[in-house]
PDB file of all heavy atoms in Angstrom:
ATOM      1  N   PRO A 167    -102.863-156.879 -40.261  1.00  0.00           N
ATOM      2  CA  PRO A 167    -102.898-155.499 -39.788  1.00  0.00           C
ATOM      3  C   PRO A 167    -104.048-154.735 -40.433  1.00  0.00           C
ATOM      4  O   PRO A 167    -104.467-155.038 -41.540  1.00  0.00           O
ATOM      5  CB  PRO A 167    -101.550-154.932 -40.217  1.00  0.00           C
ATOM      6  CG  PRO A 167    -101.028-155.850 -41.252  1.00  0.00           C
ATOM      7  CD  PRO A 167    -101.668-157.183 -41.014  1.00  0.00           C
ATOM      8  N   GLN A 191     -79.325-151.412 -56.116  1.00  0.00           N
ATOM      9  CA  GLN A 191     -80.734-151.785 -56.032  1.00  0.00           C
ATOM     10  C   GLN A 191     -81.317-151.937 -57.424  1.00  0.00           C
ATOM     11  O   GLN A 191     -80.790-151.405 -58.395  1.00  0.00           O
ATOM     12  CB  GLN A 191     -81.521-150.713 -55.264  1.00  0.00           C
ATOM     13  CG  GLN A 191     -81.122-150.582 -53.822  1.00  0.00           C
ATOM     14  CD  GLN A 191     -81.385-151.860 -53.046  1.00  0.00           C
ATOM     15  OE1 GLN A 191     -82.515-152.319 -52.964  1.00  0.00           O
ATOM     16  NE2 GLN A 191     -80.343-152.438 -52.488  1.00  0.00           N
ATOM     17  N   ALA A 197     -95.355-157.528 -55.973  1.00  0.00           N
ATOM     18  CA  ALA A 197     -96.223-158.698 -56.139  1.00  0.00           C
ATOM     19  C   ALA A 197     -95.666-159.799 -55.238  1.00  0.00           C
ATOM     20  O   ALA A 197     -94.610-159.646 -54.637  1.00  0.00           O
ATOM     21  CB  ALA A 197     -96.227-159.151 -57.603  1.00  0.00           C
ATOM     22  N   THR A 207     -97.247-157.232 -40.436  1.00  0.00           N
ATOM     23  CA  THR A 207     -97.020-156.276 -39.356  1.00  0.00           C
ATOM     24  C   THR A 207     -95.571-155.778 -39.333  1.00  0.00           C
ATOM     25  O   THR A 207     -95.244-154.889 -38.575  1.00  0.00           O
ATOM     26  CB  THR A 207     -97.365-156.896 -37.991  1.00  0.00           C
ATOM     27  OG1 THR A 207     -96.569-158.072 -37.812  1.00  0.00           O
ATOM     28  CG2 THR A 207     -98.843-157.226 -37.902  1.00  0.00           C
ATOM     29  N   LEU A 213     -99.901-144.835 -48.039  1.00  0.00           N
ATOM     30  CA  LEU A 213    -100.459-144.917 -49.380  1.00  0.00           C
ATOM     31  C   LEU A 213    -100.708-143.554 -50.021  1.00  0.00           C
ATOM     32  O   LEU A 213    -101.138-143.476 -51.164  1.00  0.00           O
ATOM     33  CB  LEU A 213    -101.748-145.735 -49.361  1.00  0.00           C
ATOM     34  CG  LEU A 213    -101.578-147.184 -48.905  1.00  0.00           C
ATOM     35  CD1 LEU A 213    -102.908-147.912 -48.923  1.00  0.00           C
ATOM     36  CD2 LEU A 213    -100.544-147.915 -49.749  1.00  0.00           C
ATOM     37  N   THR A 214    -100.394-142.482 -49.304  1.00  0.00           N
ATOM     38  CA  THR A 214    -100.537-141.147 -49.857  1.00  0.00           C
ATOM     39  C   THR A 214     -99.310-140.849 -50.712  1.00  0.00           C
ATOM     40  O   THR A 214     -98.189-140.835 -50.213  1.00  0.00           O
ATOM     41  CB  THR A 214    -100.646-140.093 -48.737  1.00  0.00           C
ATOM     42  OG1 THR A 214    -101.728-140.446 -47.881  1.00  0.00           O
ATOM     43  CG2 THR A 214    -100.862-138.704 -49.298  1.00  0.00           C
ATOM     44  N   SER A 220     -86.314-137.238 -55.213  1.00  0.00           N
ATOM     45  CA  SER A 220     -85.220-136.535 -55.895  1.00  0.00           C
ATOM     46  C   SER A 220     -85.560-136.212 -57.345  1.00  0.00           C
ATOM     47  O   SER A 220     -85.133-135.198 -57.878  1.00  0.00           O
ATOM     48  CB  SER A 220     -83.945-137.381 -55.855  1.00  0.00           C
ATOM     49  OG  SER A 220     -83.504-137.525 -54.528  1.00  0.00           O
ATOM     50  N   ALA A 225     -94.407-140.872 -55.197  1.00  0.00           N
ATOM     51  CA  ALA A 225     -94.128-142.203 -54.672  1.00  0.00           C
ATOM     52  C   ALA A 225     -94.840-142.401 -53.346  1.00  0.00           C
ATOM     53  O   ALA A 225     -95.100-141.450 -52.612  1.00  0.00           O
ATOM     54  CB  ALA A 225     -92.628-142.401 -54.478  1.00  0.00           C
ATOM     55  N   ARG A 246     -90.567-146.968 -65.264  1.00  0.00           N
ATOM     56  CA  ARG A 246     -89.795-145.815 -65.736  1.00  0.00           C
ATOM     57  C   ARG A 246     -89.574-144.794 -64.612  1.00  0.00           C
ATOM     58  O   ARG A 246     -88.465-144.301 -64.414  1.00  0.00           O
ATOM     59  CB  ARG A 246     -90.521-145.173 -66.912  1.00  0.00           C
ATOM     60  CG  ARG A 246     -89.761-144.064 -67.549  1.00  0.00           C
ATOM     61  CD  ARG A 246     -90.521-143.550 -68.753  1.00  0.00           C
ATOM     62  NE  ARG A 246     -89.686-142.646 -69.508  1.00  0.00           N
ATOM     63  CZ  ARG A 246     -90.023-142.099 -70.637  1.00  0.00           C
ATOM     64  NH1 ARG A 246     -91.192-142.370 -71.176  1.00  0.00           N
ATOM     65  NH2 ARG A 246     -89.214-141.282 -71.250  1.00  0.00           N
TER      66      ARG A 246
END
Side-chain angles (χ1 to χ4, degrees):
Q191 295 298 300
T207 58
L213 299 180
T214 304
S220 295
R246 185 177 190 176

